[in-house]
Amino acid sequence: MLKSLNLGSTREREGSPWRGLWVVVAKDMADHLTSARMRIMELLIVLTAAGTVYAAMQNIRSTVGRDPFVFLKLFTTSQDPLPAFIGFLGFLVPLLAITLAFDAVNGEFNQRTLSRVLAQPIYRDALLLGKFLAGLFTLALVLATIWLLIIGLGILGLGLPPSGEEVARILVFLVGTIFYGGVWLALALVFSTVFRQSATAALASIAVWLFFMVFWSIVVSSLARILQPGEPTTLQQALNQAQLLQTLTRFSPNTLYVEATVGLLNPAVRSFGLVLPTELQGALIGSPLPLDQSILLIWPHLTGLIAITLLLFAIAYVLFQRQEIRA
Amino acid sequence: MNDENLVIETHNLTKQYGKFTAVDKLDLQIRRGEVYGLLGPNGSGKTTTILMILGLTEPTSGSVRVLGYDPERNPLSVKARVGYLPDQIGFYDNLTARENLIYIAKLNGLSRIEAYSRIDEALERMGLADVSNKHVGAFSRGMRQRLGVADLLIKRPQIIIMDEPTLGLDPEAARLFLNIIRELGDSGITILLSSHLLYQVQEVCDRVGLFHRGHKMLEGTVDDLAQRVLGGAFRIKLQTNGDHAQSIEEALRSLPDITSLRQGDNHWFVLEATSDVRSAAANAVMRAGGDLKRLDIEIPSLDEIYAQYFEEVEHAQIA
Ligand SMILES: Nc1ncnc2c1ncn2[C@@H]1O[C@H](COP(=O)(O)OP(=O)(O)O)[C@@H](O)[C@H]1O
Ligand SMILES: [Mg+2]
């Protein structure tokens, strides 16, 4: 796929476009893991995780009876005034991803290392993908650590190990969260290619994130009103209107992630029909879905997140290939 | 490649940015082992030419051959054999000198053992062995420039391309760096360097090409160009005590190889010649009964050649 995107030259290039890829990945990961800003982010996430999980455990202990999915509740239970951990993830993950990539390309440019690195026998492809993968692996590493921490706290606090299915759901949720981070990583990578100033790239990434976080629902409801004007008179019309609203909402990576989260961590959820995600929690009572059914339910969401990531990476790729490298 | 000894060859090489032509139909031929200076004022197309030779910028038209490879089709082969020192060299300031070089060595696919021995050798050669474990953030401009050379030596290049290598260096550091270039040239590596400071690099270049607005206007050895542009490559100045000016002038005028002669203030005679006629001129003054107070020779600098040449070009255009 990436090969066909090379618009510049139709001639066959020599050697592998990925030569040097793992060298770049290793170097950038080392940079990430030792940088001060990552330390700050890690601290922030660990504190959030510890705080919310502790609060969730207080809440869980006070309820009577053994919930078969009590470990999932560690992620989803909130205790006023603190939201649940998944509530925090919705913005901690984008923030972390943006932190990892907003100066990926323009940082090399501003340090004037770009021309020296590209004068080595590697292609630009390897440099860009290497930077993306380094960010993604770092993200995965940080999140996996947090997940382990939460499970560990759970085992200590609840005094019992998670069941096989719980572990599986938590793992798939981890993967989904990494994909969600991938979207913001790729977005920040695009802006780091477009803008010469790292600060501009960071602000632009955060602006997009805020847009989806805060304004998208407003935009969507006005859009829906424009596309299907008038008060619904029949049930069918009302259904159509709700359907449209939901479809539009799903163009936001946040919605995809929230729905995927709910589907995975709340096994009772059987569909995302005409129920808003916020109403889902605890509202649906019924027999839980088996794991494979839940995964099937959120499969479109996961592929949607991957598709957005690929699209954004492709944009960054094309921009980077055409960029003048001189200062 | 028809000639084994041509390591860099461009033909009709052209680069346009929109309507603006940065490099115009450039034909360049650089032979194995020579130090070639790409000289010209800012904006004359030197950096653009270098980037096209390295395959870092796509030419609009024309062709490039580097060691027989086309940098567009075989960029990896070219970049594995050519060392590049960019005009504004940067390093990862949070890493040490050695760590910076390790990254480059790995990108070149060197094994750990090979990389370490080459890095030690290169740092030693550039006089940076003592500071190899210091963060580059603390390095002076001159040290960075030498680290840049150490960096490109890692790949054991056959060709080194340096863009404005003395830019921003103080005169002492510049002189040291020119020595380094000379030594590299003596070790048999082909060197292409660019500069807008013509006087500074003329002594290290075997051959120079003078650039102006994307064109290569003049090319040859410095002596060669002086000969062609200024007529005479040697300018000799004599100061007398002022007696017998008339007969001295006649005696000097009759010397062989003289291309021009004029009298200046304070009894100076300025003559230009195609060979070093200092002793003949001194004898002539003596024979004419003059008293020689001073005798100077000036080998014209590229700056003069350049200024003179473009004055002529512009006059020709106005006329
Ligand atoms: N990306 C670009 N877009 C438009 N013009 C450019 C670009 N890069 C260089 N130029 C122009 O090309 C000309 C040659 O530039 P350059 O090769 O850098 O000259 P030099 O290295 O001799 O100073 C300059 O006039 C410069 O303004
Ligand atoms: Mg330049």
Side-chain angles (χ1 to χ4, degrees):
Chain A
M1 178 204 173
L2 290 180
K3 256 203 160 139
S4 62
L5 279 168
N6 184 6
L7 308 171
S9 155
T10 49
R11 283 181 293 185
E12 193 61 37
R13 297 187 299 181
E14 84 172 317
S16 159
W18 310 123
R19 204 186 134 154
L21 175 69
W22 298 109
V23 178
V24 177
V25 172
K27 178 194 176 277
D28 275 42
M29 262 190 92
D31 283 352
H32 288 322
L33 293 174
T34 53
S35 75
R37 64 167 103 120
M38 276 305 292
R39 292 273 156 76
I40 295 171
M41 285 304 301
E42 282 158 16
L43 193 69
L44 194 62
I45 297 177
V46 167
L47 288 180
T48 314
T52 52
V53 169
Y54 178 76
M57 268 189 306
Q58 301 297 315
N59 197 330
I60 292 165
R61 277 213 213 95
S62 65
T63 58
V64 214
R66 166 76 166 107
D67 185 318
F69 295 109
V70 68
F71 269 86
L72 305 184
K73 290 255 154 61
L74 291 176
F75 290 86
T76 56
T77 308
S78 59
Q79 168 88 310
D80 270 343
L82 210 57
F85 183 56
I86 51 166
F88 280 104
L89 276 184
F91 71 87
L92 280 181
V93 170
L95 202 60
L96 179 64
I98 291 170
T99 307
L100 285 167
F102 74 93
D103 64 347
V105 173
N106 51 22
E108 296 273 347
F109 202 90
N110 293 332
Q111 286 193 85
R112 314 218 179 281
T113 44
L114 190 59
S115 51
R116 204 165 49 84
V117 167
L118 290 179
Q120 308 312 320
I122 60 164
Y123 284 109
R124 294 185 187 203
D125 313 41
L127 188 66
L128 194 70
L129 186 65
K131 288 191 166 289
F132 178 75
L133 289 182
L136 197 68
F137 293 163
T138 308
L139 192 77
L141 198 66
V142 172
L143 292 177
T145 314
I146 303 296
W147 260 233
L148 284 177
L149 180 82
I150 292 176
I151 294 176
L153 282 177
I155 293 173
L156 283 180
L158 303 169
L160 77 177
S163 70
E165 178 164 354
E166 278 174 316
V167 171
R169 281 181 183 270
I170 288 173
L171 274 184
V172 179
F173 175 48
L174 173 62
V175 172
T177 307
I178 294 168
F179 287 168
Y180 176 57
V183 171
W184 299 104
L185 204 61
L187 181 80
L189 198 63
V190 170
F191 286 132
S192 90
T193 316
V194 173
F195 297 113
R196 283 286 144 87
Q197 299 289 324
S198 301
T200 314
L203 281 177
S205 312
I206 289 175
V208 173
W209 165 64
L210 272 180
F211 172 78
F212 281 115
M213 193 80 172
V214 180
F215 299 108
W216 185 242
S217 57
I218 303 169
V219 173
V220 161
S221 51
S222 359
L223 258 181
R225 218 167 298 133
I226 293 165
L227 292 172
Q228 284 181 353
E231 282 296 308
T233 47
T234 66
L235 181 64
Q236 190 55 41
Q237 267 178 352
L239 275 177
N240 284 347
Q241 207 161 47
Q243 192 72 51
L244 177 71
L245 204 64
Q246 192 183 31
T247 311
L248 287 173
T249 318
R250 281 192 182 149
F251 278 98
S252 156
N254 294 6
T255 311
L256 293 178
Y257 178 62
V258 167
E259 289 191 357
T261 305
V262 170
L264 276 171
L265 298 184
N266 201 339
V269 171
R270 310 190 138 258
S271 90
F272 298 115
L274 296 173
V275 193
L276 290 178
T278 44
E279 300 165 2
L280 272 171
Q281 201 178 312
L284 289 179
I285 313 152
S287 57
L289 275 185
L291 176 62
D292 54 344
Q293 291 299 314
S294 284
I295 290 181
L296 215 57
L297 184 66
I298 62 144
W299 195 250
H301 298 76
L302 291 187
T303 47
L305 289 174
I306 296 175
I308 300 173
T309 305
L310 284 181
L311 181 72
L312 288 170
F313 184 79
I315 292 172
Y317 180 89
V318 170
L319 292 172
F320 187 51
Q321 288 292 338
R322 300 168 149 221
Q323 196 166 51
E324 278 279 336
I325 63 151
R326 80 170 92 194
Chain B
M1 194 164 59
N2 39 23
D3 187 342
E4 258 295 293
N5 277 323
L6 286 182
V7 292
I8 299 176
E9 218 185 344
T10 74
H11 187 63
N12 266 335
L13 188 63
T14 302
K15 178 71 184 184
Q16 288 177 325
Y17 290 110
K19 281 205 168 132
F20 179 78
T21 306
V23 176
D24 198 6
K25 298 200 190 71
L26 175 68
D27 288 326
L28 200 61
Q29 298 190 322
I30 296 171
R31 293 186 283 266
R32 191 177 297 280
E34 77 176 333
V35 178
Y36 188 96
L38 216 57
L39 307 179
N42 281 326
S44 55
K46 307 180 298 288
T47 300
T48 309
T49 304
I50 287 175
L51 292 177
M52 287 191 288
I53 290 174
L54 285 160
L56 293 177
T57 287
E58 227 177 302
T60 309
S61 63
S63 67
V64 186
R65 280 281 174 284
V66 179
L67 298 163
Y69 297 105
D70 176 350
E72 268 197 276
R73 280 177 97 119
N74 301 84
L76 301 186
S77 299
V78 170
K79 293 195 280 186
R81 291 166 176 81
V82 181
Y84 172 47
L85 188 74
D87 50 353
Q88 286 173 310
I89 185 134
F91 293 93
Y92 301 105
D93 287 348
N94 57 328
L95 301 183
T96 66
R98 182 180 298 276
E99 286 165 345
N100 268 285
L101 298 193
I102 289 173
Y103 184 44
I104 294 302
K106 285 187 182 162
L107 286 177
N108 278 279
L110 297 181
S111 73
R112 180 178 287 261
I113 297 171
E114 183 66 20
Y116 280 45
S117 82
R118 288 195 194 186
I119 287 169
D120 283 336
E121 186 193 315
L123 285 170
E124 187 69 45
R125 192 163 168 189
M126 287 302 120
L128 294 168
D130 306 344
V131 290
S132 63
N133 291 321
K134 290 224 160 62
H135 284 218
V136 180
F139 278 25
S140 71
R141 168 97 184 127
M143 285 160 84
R144 280 166 184 269
Q145 203 75 353
R146 277 183 285 143
L147 186 58
V149 178
D151 170 298
L152 56 80
L153 287 178
I154 304 270
K155 61 170 96 159
R156 302 231 163 107
Q158 297 182 37
I159 301 175
I160 293 177
I161 298 181
M162 300 180 177
D163 200 357
E164 304 274 3
T166 57
L167 190 70
L169 297 181
D170 62 61
E172 175 62 11
R175 199 184 54 73
L176 275 174
F177 200 77
L178 289 170
N179 282 342
I180 290 174
I181 296 176
R182 189 74 263 177
E183 276 168 30
L184 291 171
D186 290 344
S187 71
I189 302 174
T190 309
I191 298 177
L192 172 65
L193 62 86
S194 89
S195 182
H196 71 280
L197 303 168
L198 287 70
Y199 67 93
Q200 225 178 28
V201 294
Q202 70 178 33
E203 62 220 65
V204 300
C205 295
D206 298 323
R207 225 153 46 97
V208 298
L210 297 189
F211 276 58
H212 187 67
R213 297 192 186 147
H215 294 270
K216 185 180 73 182
M217 309 296 281
L218 286 169
E219 186 177 55
T221 64
V222 176
D223 288 349
D224 229 21
L225 295 186
Q227 180 72 41
R228 274 182 9 226
V229 175
L230 303 174
F234 298 90
R235 179 178 295 156
I236 292 157
K237 290 172 151 184
L238 307 107
Q239 193 180 27
T240 67
N241 63 2
D243 300 338
H244 312 294
Q246 196 62 35
S247 48
I248 291 174
E249 176 158 354
E250 275 162 28
L252 288 175
R253 210 174 274 292
S254 64
L255 290 173
D257 295 346
I258 299 287
T259 50
S260 78
L261 174 66
R262 65 187 167 83
Q263 278 197 47
D265 296 339
N266 295 326
H267 320 301
W268 276 103
F269 291 89
V270 180
L271 56 88
E272 282 172 357
T274 54
S275 63
D276 186 356
V277 294
R278 266 178 296 182
S279 61
N283 278 331
V285 173
M286 242 82 96
R287 273 202 313 277
D291 192 358
L292 192 60
K293 281 169 71 182
R294 279 179 67 183
L295 172 66
D296 293 336
I297 184 161
E298 267 177 22
I299 297 169
S301 73
L302 272 174
D303 284 306
E304 272 181 273
I305 298 171
Y306 199 78
Q308 175 76 32
Y309 181 77
F310 287 108
E311 211 167 284
E312 280 167 23
V313 169
E314 257 146 54
H315 276 166
Q317 277 169 355
I318 291 164

PDB file of all heavy atoms in Angstrom, chain B residues 106-129:
ATOM      1  N   LYS B 106      25.136   2.605  12.883  1.00  0.00           N
ATOM      2  CA  LYS B 106      24.093   1.579  12.765  1.00  0.00           C
ATOM      3  C   LYS B 106      23.238   1.803  11.531  1.00  0.00           C
ATOM      4  O   LYS B 106      22.830   0.850  10.872  1.00  0.00           O
ATOM      5  CB  LYS B 106      23.217   1.583  14.013  1.00  0.00           C
ATOM      6  CG  LYS B 106      23.881   0.955  15.220  1.00  0.00           C
ATOM      7  CD  LYS B 106      22.873   0.862  16.337  1.00  0.00           C
ATOM      8  CE  LYS B 106      23.504   0.283  17.600  1.00  0.00           C
ATOM      9  NZ  LYS B 106      22.660   0.585  18.768  1.00  0.00           N
ATOM     10  N   LEU B 107      22.947   3.078  11.238  1.00  0.00           N
ATOM     11  CA  LEU B 107      22.154   3.354  10.033  1.00  0.00           C
ATOM     12  C   LEU B 107      22.903   2.906   8.783  1.00  0.00           C
ATOM     13  O   LEU B 107      22.306   2.597   7.765  1.00  0.00           O
ATOM     14  CB  LEU B 107      21.822   4.853   9.935  1.00  0.00           C
ATOM     15  CG  LEU B 107      20.763   5.365  10.903  1.00  0.00           C
ATOM     16  CD1 LEU B 107      20.585   6.867  10.751  1.00  0.00           C
ATOM     17  CD2 LEU B 107      19.430   4.667  10.670  1.00  0.00           C
ATOM     18  N   ASN B 108      24.238   2.861   8.884  1.00  0.00           N
ATOM     19  CA  ASN B 108      25.032   2.377   7.767  1.00  0.00           C
ATOM     20  C   ASN B 108      25.189   0.866   7.781  1.00  0.00           C
ATOM     21  O   ASN B 108      25.912   0.305   6.968  1.00  0.00           O
ATOM     22  CB  ASN B 108      26.405   3.043   7.756  1.00  0.00           C
ATOM     23  CG  ASN B 108      26.355   4.415   7.120  1.00  0.00           C
ATOM     24  OD1 ASN B 108      26.373   4.535   5.904  1.00  0.00           O
ATOM     25  ND2 ASN B 108      26.244   5.450   7.938  1.00  0.00           N
ATOM     26  N   GLY B 109      24.545   0.241   8.741  1.00  0.00           N
ATOM     27  CA  GLY B 109      24.546  -1.217   8.769  1.00  0.00           C
ATOM     28  C   GLY B 109      25.848  -1.836   9.259  1.00  0.00           C
ATOM     29  O   GLY B 109      26.118  -3.004   8.980  1.00  0.00           O
ATOM     30  N   LEU B 110      26.660  -1.068   9.986  1.00  0.00           N
ATOM     31  CA  LEU B 110      27.922  -1.624  10.473  1.00  0.00           C
ATOM     32  C   LEU B 110      27.680  -2.519  11.685  1.00  0.00           C
ATOM     33  O   LEU B 110      26.788  -2.259  12.491  1.00  0.00           O
ATOM     34  CB  LEU B 110      28.872  -0.503  10.884  1.00  0.00           C
ATOM     35  CG  LEU B 110      29.316   0.453   9.780  1.00  0.00           C
ATOM     36  CD1 LEU B 110      30.274   1.478  10.345  1.00  0.00           C
ATOM     37  CD2 LEU B 110      29.956  -0.298   8.638  1.00  0.00           C
ATOM     38  N   SER B 111      28.482  -3.540  11.808  1.00  0.00           N
ATOM     39  CA  SER B 111      28.406  -4.385  13.001  1.00  0.00           C
ATOM     40  C   SER B 111      28.951  -3.595  14.184  1.00  0.00           C
ATOM     41  O   SER B 111      29.663  -2.601  14.021  1.00  0.00           O
ATOM     42  CB  SER B 111      29.247  -5.636  12.809  1.00  0.00           C
ATOM     43  OG  SER B 111      30.616  -5.301  12.879  1.00  0.00           O
ATOM     44  N   ARG B 112      28.598  -4.049  15.379  1.00  0.00           N
ATOM     45  CA  ARG B 112      29.002  -3.320  16.578  1.00  0.00           C
ATOM     46  C   ARG B 112      30.526  -3.155  16.663  1.00  0.00           C
ATOM     47  O   ARG B 112      31.035  -2.050  16.871  1.00  0.00           O
ATOM     48  CB  ARG B 112      28.493  -4.074  17.801  1.00  0.00           C
ATOM     49  CG  ARG B 112      28.848  -3.419  19.121  1.00  0.00           C
ATOM     50  CD  ARG B 112      28.251  -4.216  20.241  1.00  0.00           C
ATOM     51  NE  ARG B 112      26.809  -4.026  20.305  1.00  0.00           N
ATOM     52  CZ  ARG B 112      26.228  -3.184  21.161  1.00  0.00           C
ATOM     53  NH1 ARG B 112      26.970  -2.498  22.002  1.00  0.00           N
ATOM     54  NH2 ARG B 112      24.941  -3.035  21.191  1.00  0.00           N
ATOM     55  N   ILE B 113      31.246  -4.249  16.432  1.00  0.00           N
ATOM     56  CA  ILE B 113      32.709  -4.202  16.557  1.00  0.00           C
ATOM     57  C   ILE B 113      33.305  -3.248  15.537  1.00  0.00           C
ATOM     58  O   ILE B 113      34.119  -2.382  15.853  1.00  0.00           O
ATOM     59  CB  ILE B 113      33.300  -5.620  16.376  1.00  0.00           C
ATOM     60  CG1 ILE B 113      32.791  -6.530  17.491  1.00  0.00           C
ATOM     61  CG2 ILE B 113      34.814  -5.573  16.339  1.00  0.00           C
ATOM     62  CD1 ILE B 113      33.121  -7.984  17.289  1.00  0.00           C
ATOM     63  N   GLU B 114      32.841  -3.397  14.302  1.00  0.00           N
ATOM     64  CA  GLU B 114      33.331  -2.545  13.224  1.00  0.00           C
ATOM     65  C   GLU B 114      33.007  -1.077  13.532  1.00  0.00           C
ATOM     66  O   GLU B 114      33.853  -0.199  13.394  1.00  0.00           O
ATOM     67  CB  GLU B 114      32.668  -2.981  11.910  1.00  0.00           C
ATOM     68  CG  GLU B 114      33.124  -2.236  10.682  1.00  0.00           C
ATOM     69  CD  GLU B 114      34.577  -2.498  10.326  1.00  0.00           C
ATOM     70  OE1 GLU B 114      35.129  -3.517  10.791  1.00  0.00           O
ATOM     71  OE2 GLU B 114      35.169  -1.678   9.596  1.00  0.00           O
ATOM     72  N   ALA B 115      31.765  -0.846  13.983  1.00  0.00           N
ATOM     73  CA  ALA B 115      31.343   0.519  14.286  1.00  0.00           C
ATOM     74  C   ALA B 115      32.250   1.128  15.351  1.00  0.00           C
ATOM     75  O   ALA B 115      32.754   2.243  15.183  1.00  0.00           O
ATOM     76  CB  ALA B 115      29.893   0.527  14.758  1.00  0.00           C
ATOM     77  N   TYR B 116      32.487   0.387  16.428  1.00  0.00           N
ATOM     78  CA  TYR B 116      33.266   0.948  17.527  1.00  0.00           C
ATOM     79  C   TYR B 116      34.686   1.268  17.104  1.00  0.00           C
ATOM     80  O   TYR B 116      35.232   2.304  17.480  1.00  0.00           O
ATOM     81  CB  TYR B 116      33.244   0.000  18.734  1.00  0.00           C
ATOM     82  CG  TYR B 116      31.971   0.115  19.527  1.00  0.00           C
ATOM     83  CD1 TYR B 116      30.735   0.150  18.884  1.00  0.00           C
ATOM     84  CD2 TYR B 116      31.976   0.211  20.905  1.00  0.00           C
ATOM     85  CE1 TYR B 116      29.557   0.274  19.594  1.00  0.00           C
ATOM     86  CE2 TYR B 116      30.798   0.333  21.628  1.00  0.00           C
ATOM     87  CZ  TYR B 116      29.587   0.361  20.967  1.00  0.00           C
ATOM     88  OH  TYR B 116      28.426   0.491  21.665  1.00  0.00           O
ATOM     89  N   SER B 117      35.292   0.395  16.296  1.00  0.00           N
ATOM     90  CA  SER B 117      36.676   0.674  15.921  1.00  0.00           C
ATOM     91  C   SER B 117      36.734   1.872  14.967  1.00  0.00           C
ATOM     92  O   SER B 117      37.611   2.723  15.076  1.00  0.00           O
ATOM     93  CB  SER B 117      37.343  -0.573  15.331  1.00  0.00           C
ATOM     94  OG  SER B 117      37.019  -0.709  13.982  1.00  0.00           O
ATOM     95  N   ARG B 118      35.760   1.953  14.057  1.00  0.00           N
ATOM     96  CA  ARG B 118      35.764   3.105  13.150  1.00  0.00           C
ATOM     97  C   ARG B 118      35.487   4.409  13.897  1.00  0.00           C
ATOM     98  O   ARG B 118      36.047   5.452  13.572  1.00  0.00           O
ATOM     99  CB  ARG B 118      34.697   2.925  12.068  1.00  0.00           C
ATOM    100  CG  ARG B 118      35.063   1.873  11.042  1.00  0.00           C
ATOM    101  CD  ARG B 118      34.184   1.996   9.841  1.00  0.00           C
ATOM    102  NE  ARG B 118      34.276   0.830   8.982  1.00  0.00           N
ATOM    103  CZ  ARG B 118      33.692   0.747   7.799  1.00  0.00           C
ATOM    104  NH1 ARG B 118      32.959   1.745   7.359  1.00  0.00           N
ATOM    105  NH2 ARG B 118      33.815  -0.342   7.068  1.00  0.00           N
ATOM    106  N   ILE B 119      34.602   4.337  14.882  1.00  0.00           N
ATOM    107  CA  ILE B 119      34.262   5.544  15.642  1.00  0.00           C
ATOM    108  C   ILE B 119      35.481   6.034  16.419  1.00  0.00           C
ATOM    109  O   ILE B 119      35.818   7.226  16.399  1.00  0.00           O
ATOM    110  CB  ILE B 119      33.074   5.271  16.585  1.00  0.00           C
ATOM    111  CG1 ILE B 119      31.792   5.151  15.763  1.00  0.00           C
ATOM    112  CG2 ILE B 119      32.930   6.377  17.621  1.00  0.00           C
ATOM    113  CD1 ILE B 119      30.602   4.634  16.527  1.00  0.00           C
ATOM    114  N   ASP B 120      36.174   5.113  17.070  1.00  0.00           N
ATOM    115  CA  ASP B 120      37.378   5.503  17.811  1.00  0.00           C
ATOM    116  C   ASP B 120      38.392   6.147  16.887  1.00  0.00           C
ATOM    117  O   ASP B 120      38.982   7.181  17.204  1.00  0.00           O
ATOM    118  CB  ASP B 120      38.004   4.265  18.479  1.00  0.00           C
ATOM    119  CG  ASP B 120      37.215   3.874  19.720  1.00  0.00           C
ATOM    120  OD1 ASP B 120      36.544   4.752  20.281  1.00  0.00           O
ATOM    121  OD2 ASP B 120      37.276   2.692  20.114  1.00  0.00           O
ATOM    122  N   GLU B 121      38.560   5.522  15.733  1.00  0.00           N
ATOM    123  CA  GLU B 121      39.536   6.025  14.777  1.00  0.00           C
ATOM    124  C   GLU B 121      39.153   7.431  14.309  1.00  0.00           C
ATOM    125  O   GLU B 121      39.987   8.340  14.271  1.00  0.00           O
ATOM    126  CB  GLU B 121      39.580   5.052  13.595  1.00  0.00           C
ATOM    127  CG  GLU B 121      40.647   5.344  12.571  1.00  0.00           C
ATOM    128  CD  GLU B 121      40.400   4.531  11.304  1.00  0.00           C
ATOM    129  OE1 GLU B 121      40.094   3.313  11.427  1.00  0.00           O
ATOM    130  OE2 GLU B 121      40.490   5.105  10.214  1.00  0.00           O
ATOM    131  N   ALA B 122      37.877   7.599  13.973  1.00  0.00           N
ATOM    132  CA  ALA B 122      37.430   8.891  13.446  1.00  0.00           C
ATOM    133  C   ALA B 122      37.539   9.988  14.510  1.00  0.00           C
ATOM    134  O   ALA B 122      37.979  11.104  14.219  1.00  0.00           O
ATOM    135  CB  ALA B 122      35.998   8.786  12.947  1.00  0.00           C
ATOM    136  N   LEU B 123      37.154   9.663  15.743  1.00  0.00           N
ATOM    137  CA  LEU B 123      37.222  10.665  16.811  1.00  0.00           C
ATOM    138  C   LEU B 123      38.671  11.053  17.079  1.00  0.00           C
ATOM    139  O   LEU B 123      38.993  12.223  17.287  1.00  0.00           O
ATOM    140  CB  LEU B 123      36.572  10.114  18.086  1.00  0.00           C
ATOM    141  CG  LEU B 123      35.043  10.059  18.065  1.00  0.00           C
ATOM    142  CD1 LEU B 123      34.518   9.290  19.261  1.00  0.00           C
ATOM    143  CD2 LEU B 123      34.448  11.461  18.028  1.00  0.00           C
ATOM    144  N   GLU B 124      39.535  10.055  17.057  1.00  0.00           N
ATOM    145  CA  GLU B 124      40.961  10.290  17.251  1.00  0.00           C
ATOM    146  C   GLU B 124      41.484  11.222  16.166  1.00  0.00           C
ATOM    147  O   GLU B 124      42.149  12.229  16.435  1.00  0.00           O
ATOM    148  CB  GLU B 124      41.681   8.937  17.198  1.00  0.00           C
ATOM    149  CG  GLU B 124      43.150   8.979  17.550  1.00  0.00           C
ATOM    150  CD  GLU B 124      43.362   9.296  19.029  1.00  0.00           C
ATOM    151  OE1 GLU B 124      42.660   8.708  19.884  1.00  0.00           O
ATOM    152  OE2 GLU B 124      44.227  10.141  19.296  1.00  0.00           O
ATOM    153  N   ARG B 125      41.135  10.912  14.959  1.00  0.00           N
ATOM    154  CA  ARG B 125      41.635  11.669  13.817  1.00  0.00           C
ATOM    155  C   ARG B 125      41.182  13.127  13.861  1.00  0.00           C
ATOM    156  O   ARG B 125      41.903  14.026  13.439  1.00  0.00           O
ATOM    157  CB  ARG B 125      41.125  10.996  12.542  1.00  0.00           C
ATOM    158  CG  ARG B 125      41.782  11.483  11.277  1.00  0.00           C
ATOM    159  CD  ARG B 125      41.526  10.498  10.157  1.00  0.00           C
ATOM    160  NE  ARG B 125      41.891  11.060   8.877  1.00  0.00           N
ATOM    161  CZ  ARG B 125      41.604  10.481   7.721  1.00  0.00           C
ATOM    162  NH1 ARG B 125      40.949   9.335   7.712  1.00  0.00           N
ATOM    163  NH2 ARG B 125      41.960  11.026   6.586  1.00  0.00           N
ATOM    164  N   MET B 126      39.988  13.352  14.376  1.00  0.00           N
ATOM    165  CA  MET B 126      39.459  14.718  14.435  1.00  0.00           C
ATOM    166  C   MET B 126      39.800  15.396  15.763  1.00  0.00           C
ATOM    167  O   MET B 126      39.292  16.480  16.055  1.00  0.00           O
ATOM    168  CB  MET B 126      37.941  14.698  14.239  1.00  0.00           C
ATOM    169  CG  MET B 126      37.528  14.419  12.817  1.00  0.00           C
ATOM    170  SD  MET B 126      38.215  15.635  11.674  1.00  0.00           S
ATOM    171  CE  MET B 126      39.182  14.576  10.622  1.00  0.00           C
ATOM    172  N   GLY B 127      40.618  14.743  16.578  1.00  0.00           N
ATOM    173  CA  GLY B 127      41.014  15.355  17.843  1.00  0.00           C
ATOM    174  C   GLY B 127      39.880  15.472  18.843  1.00  0.00           C
ATOM    175  O   GLY B 127      39.847  16.396  19.651  1.00  0.00           O
ATOM    176  N   LEU B 128      38.931  14.560  18.791  1.00  0.00           N
ATOM    177  CA  LEU B 128      37.783  14.633  19.691  1.00  0.00           C
ATOM    178  C   LEU B 128      37.745  13.462  20.671  1.00  0.00           C
ATOM    179  O   LEU B 128      36.743  13.252  21.352  1.00  0.00           O
ATOM    180  CB  LEU B 128      36.479  14.657  18.884  1.00  0.00           C
ATOM    181  CG  LEU B 128      36.248  15.891  18.005  1.00  0.00           C
ATOM    182  CD1 LEU B 128      35.089  15.669  17.054  1.00  0.00           C
ATOM    183  CD2 LEU B 128      35.984  17.109  18.870  1.00  0.00           C
ATOM    184  N   ALA B 129      38.834  12.711  20.735  1.00  0.00           N
ATOM    185  CA  ALA B 129      38.824  11.511  21.570  1.00  0.00           C
ATOM    186  C   ALA B 129      38.542  11.849  23.041  1.00  0.00           C
ATOM    187  O   ALA B 129      37.819  11.128  23.721  1.00  0.00           O
ATOM    188  CB  ALA B 129      40.143  10.768  21.434  1.00  0.00           C
TER     189      ALA B 129
END
